[in-house]
Amino acid sequence: MWKRRKRVRPVAPVPLELCDLCALAFPADEAVSGYVPDSSAVHPTQDWCDGMRLVTACGEAHFAVVQEQYRHRPFVQEELWAAKIDRALSGGTPVLTLVQLGCRTGLHEPEIRRAIAWHNAHLPPDTGP
């Protein structure tokens, strides 16, 4: 005798987010998200987002804590410029001159030089062989 099987509808996966404060995974539709100023943040393709980091939290209270943490982080213009230069040098055709680099980043030569100096001053120590 044949038994009739119940049809079971497949369960669709629920998109998840991760809280930037507590690392809790939670449903994406419950996320509290917003932008905070961060000089280390550059968008891969949208330069108008540079200097702003999208943060996500599991609730208003955790979002407020993350916002407060970023409020106390210094915004260093040279750090932002260095990140823009890194983005320009990491993709596309090679940059050979400061003029070309300026065209790709929107920076002027003095800003490029300050960004390079900032970057070099913040390199990790050379541990050597």
Side-chain angles (χ1 to χ4, degrees):
M1 178 168 203
W2 292 90
K3 286 189 176 181
R4 187 174 178 144
R5 287 188 177 179
K6 269 187 159 180
R7 280 194 177 183
V8 179
R9 289 187 355 193
V11 177
V14 175
L16 296 178
E17 284 287 349
L18 193 64
C19 181
D20 289 334
L21 183 66
C22 69
L24 174 72
F26 59 93
D29 61 354
E30 297 175 12
V32 178
S33 298
Y35 287 92
V36 294
D38 181 0
S39 56
S40 70
V42 293
H43 191 276
T45 58
Q46 303 295 331
D47 60 348
W48 53 271
C49 289
D50 293 349
M52 299 299 290
R53 179 173 303 282
L54 179 63
V55 295
T56 303
C58 59
E60 293 288 342
H62 280 196
F63 185 74
V65 172
V66 173
Q67 275 185 312
E68 189 64 22
Q69 289 173 342
Y70 276 94
R71 188 172 290 118
H72 293 289
R73 184 185 189 280
F75 192 95
V76 179
Q77 200 65 49
E78 290 82 1
E79 181 180 31
L80 178 60
W81 296 339
K84 286 175 170 275
I85 291 168
D86 182 56
R87 176 181 58 206
L89 296 175
S90 298
T93 56
V95 175
L96 302 174
T97 67
L98 284 178
V99 172
Q100 290 174 327
L101 188 57
C103 288
R104 291 224 190 133
T105 61
L107 300 174
H108 299 285
E109 184 179 337
E111 296 165 334
I112 293 169
R113 292 189 184 283
R114 285 174 52 192
I116 292 169
W118 182 91
H119 171 76
N120 290 343
H122 291 85
L123 287 172
D126 185 17
T127 56

